[in-house]
Amino acid sequence: MTSRRLILSRSVALAGAASCGLCLPGLARAQSGKLRVGFMLPYTGTYAQLGVAIENGVRMAIDEQGGRLGGREIEYFKVDDESEPAKGIENANKLVQRDKVDVLIGTVHSGVQMGIQKVARDSGVLSLIPNAGVHAATRALCAPNVFRTSFTNAQPTLALGPAMVARGHKKAVWITWKYAAGDEAYEGFKEGYTKAGGTIVKELGLPFPNVEFQALLTEIAALKPDAVACFFAGGGAAKFMRDYAAAGLKGKIPLYGSGFLTEGVIEAAGPAAEGVITTMHYSDSLDTPRNRQFRLDYAKTFKMQPDVYAVQGYDTGLLLVLGANAVKGDLSGSKPALYKALESAVIDSPRGRWTMSRAHNPVQDIYLRVVEKGENKVLGVAAKALADSGTGCRLG
Ligand code: BEZ
């Protein structure tokens, strides 16, 4: 009798698994006890400080709500993804298969995100993207269980081109790391800049995370464009701004960028960052009670200043709290109710209020900023309630 019941329950489990792809890890996940939260982030390499800021932000949002999710205690699991795309699937499976997390929070690097996306789609585990802007995640490969709290790579740069043309810069050179984030940021830049009447005279690139910029800076000097626009982030962004100044280009050819260029690295870049103009969905200097309070609390808790990555982490925490509360902590069992709550979320963020698009990406304001006295100062709103196209996504 016992063995027959065992066989029956196994066949029910297998039938369930077959109907939702490879959902076995989900079935094995405990419905009670501690809720298992997995961080897959870079803790080493050029994006290490971005990973730390995101984790800080998530923990801060959850701690503000009593340190529980939907009434359940939490157990955290961590994997350093090293910003290494080749290990993306293996690392995501460490959290999903081995640690049996109820939610996977990650990551920063677009190439690594593609590995997470595959594991998320195959397993059905709730996946929250706190940074990586790779288009496919909320376009052709979008999924009911994947939600992004950050941006798509083209979102900040779509608004950059028109701002440059409005400042009289009609001929630009684009320079970036050649991987999905840089290539897709270029897509947004090209669309916005050329529609506004600008001409891109040259597109330059180097492999991620290479920081040997010298030869490319010499080429820019020879091309003499009206301005330069770029995508770099983390430690490499600070070095790019320092090298740009050291090459004698600062003050001669204005430097613009997707806002990651000046996020979290202004101190490291020093005077080279002053005057750099960027577009981004956040700014340190947003003068709202929400942002002021967030910055005070973050600095007090972590003894460092927050940046856009900390805000994205914080918003990921807010979204998770909201979803977990809606299903009383049962993230794996009450999926339709969970997804409905996440899809209709209105996040009261330090960046300003934002909502989820049908493809599960933020609809948000993009600010025009300039670095002044070591801070990203808001010059205005470059694009109001900007949504990504979500092309190819069949949700909703
Ligand atoms: C990305 O790879 O998607 C990315 C990394 C750092 C900053 C912004 C985007």
Side-chain angles (χ1 to χ4, degrees):
M1 183 65 183
T2 313
S3 64
R4 189 164 170 266
R5 204 177 289 141
L6 197 67
I7 291 164
L8 272 178
S9 62
R10 268 198 194 137
S11 57
V12 168
L14 286 172
S19 68
C20 62
L22 295 171
C23 287
L24 282 170
L27 291 175
R29 227 165 265 132
Q31 299 299 316
S32 57
K34 290 187 179 169
L35 197 145
R36 300 160 88 87
V37 176
F39 288 113
M40 178 162 153
L41 292 166
Y43 294 107
T44 50
T46 199
Y47 287 163
Q49 72 190 65
L50 286 59
V52 171
I54 288 168
E55 183 183 333
N56 287 347
V58 173
R59 285 180 183 264
M60 185 171 144
I62 294 174
D63 289 349
E64 280 178 0
Q65 305 299 320
R68 286 175 171 253
L69 285 169
R72 285 170 71 184
E73 279 182 63
I74 303 166
E75 188 168 1
Y76 288 106
F77 297 83
K78 280 167 71 157
V79 167
D80 176 9
D81 68 37
E82 305 163 51
S83 295
E84 177 49 81
K87 296 186 193 161
I89 292 178
E90 182 192 330
N91 280 329
N93 272 327
K94 283 185 191 158
L95 290 170
V96 174
Q97 306 273 9
R98 182 192 67 192
D99 300 333
K100 308 214 175 331
V101 296
D102 296 289
V103 53
L104 192 167
I105 297 174
T107 189
V108 167
H109 185 287
S110 277
V112 180
Q113 194 67 46
M114 291 305 284
I116 295 182
Q117 192 76 6
K118 167 146 181 49
V119 172
R121 283 167 61 100
D122 287 352
S123 66
V125 73
L126 177 63
S127 165
L128 304 181
I129 310 175
N131 185 74
V134 64
H135 289 172
T138 53
R139 290 192 187 176
L141 293 180
C142 70
N145 55 316
V146 177
F147 293 81
R148 179 151 45 202
T149 57
S150 50
F151 55 89
T152 57
N153 287 320
Q155 250 179 330
T157 42
L158 257 176
L160 182 63
M164 288 171 66
V165 172
R167 288 178 146 62
H169 308 311
K170 294 231 169 100
K171 277 196 288 171
V173 166
W174 170 262
I175 178 166
T176 189
W177 276 319
K178 292 295 292 172
Y179 80 101
D183 294 343
E184 293 174 353
Y186 177 64
E187 247 179 76
F189 175 67
K190 189 172 165 194
E191 185 182 332
Y193 191 59
T194 54
K195 264 193 197 152
T199 304
I200 300 165
V201 291
K202 188 101 190 216
E203 189 202 338
L204 300 171
L206 69 173
F208 172 88
N210 191 323
V211 289
E212 298 309 315
F213 301 116
Q214 201 47 55
L216 298 171
L217 293 172
T218 304
E219 198 174 341
I220 289 172
L223 286 163
K224 295 192 178 63
D226 296 344
V228 170
C230 67
F231 166 85
F232 292 109
K239 177 150 193 308
F240 180 73
M241 288 187 281
R242 284 197 309 267
D243 287 4
Y244 195 86
L249 298 178
K250 187 172 170 57
K252 284 195 190 133
I253 305 176
L255 180 59
Y256 288 78
S258 177
F260 306 107
L261 181 64
T262 59
E263 281 299 322
V265 298
I266 293 182
E267 215 178 300
E274 287 291 305
V276 172
I277 295 183
T278 59
T279 40
M280 177 92 305
H281 46 279
Y282 177 66
S283 182
D284 321 342
S285 68
L286 278 175
D287 195 15
T288 61
R290 185 76 173 112
N291 189 41
R292 282 198 300 270
Q293 190 62 51
F294 168 76
R295 295 192 69 82
L296 277 175
D297 293 346
Y298 187 96
K300 200 166 145 200
T301 308
F302 302 109
K303 315 287 176 249
M304 62 172 95
Q305 290 301 317
D307 53 22
V308 75
Y309 310 107
V311 171
Q312 290 167 179
Y314 184 72
D315 290 1
T316 304
L318 293 181
L319 186 73
L320 183 54
V321 166
L322 181 153
N325 286 346
V327 295
K328 300 193 171 53
D330 186 8
L331 295 188
S332 307
S334 316
K335 291 193 173 178
L338 173 65
Y339 299 158
K340 197 166 163 227
L342 300 181
E343 280 164 354
S344 54
V346 179
I347 300 297
D348 183 18
S349 163
R351 73 180 97 165
R353 257 198 197 104
W354 61 266
T355 55
M356 232 5 128
S357 74
R358 278 174 53 196
H360 299 178
N361 188 69
V363 178
Q364 57 193 335
D365 293 347
I366 306 290
Y367 305 98
L368 183 67
R369 310 118 34 107
V370 63
V371 178
E372 229 177 74
K373 297 194 187 117
E375 212 189 32
N376 284 300
K377 289 261 156 64
V378 179
L379 293 173
V381 175
K384 189 92 196 131
L386 186 69
D388 185 71
S389 69
T391 305
C393 176
R394 291 200 181 80
L395 294 175

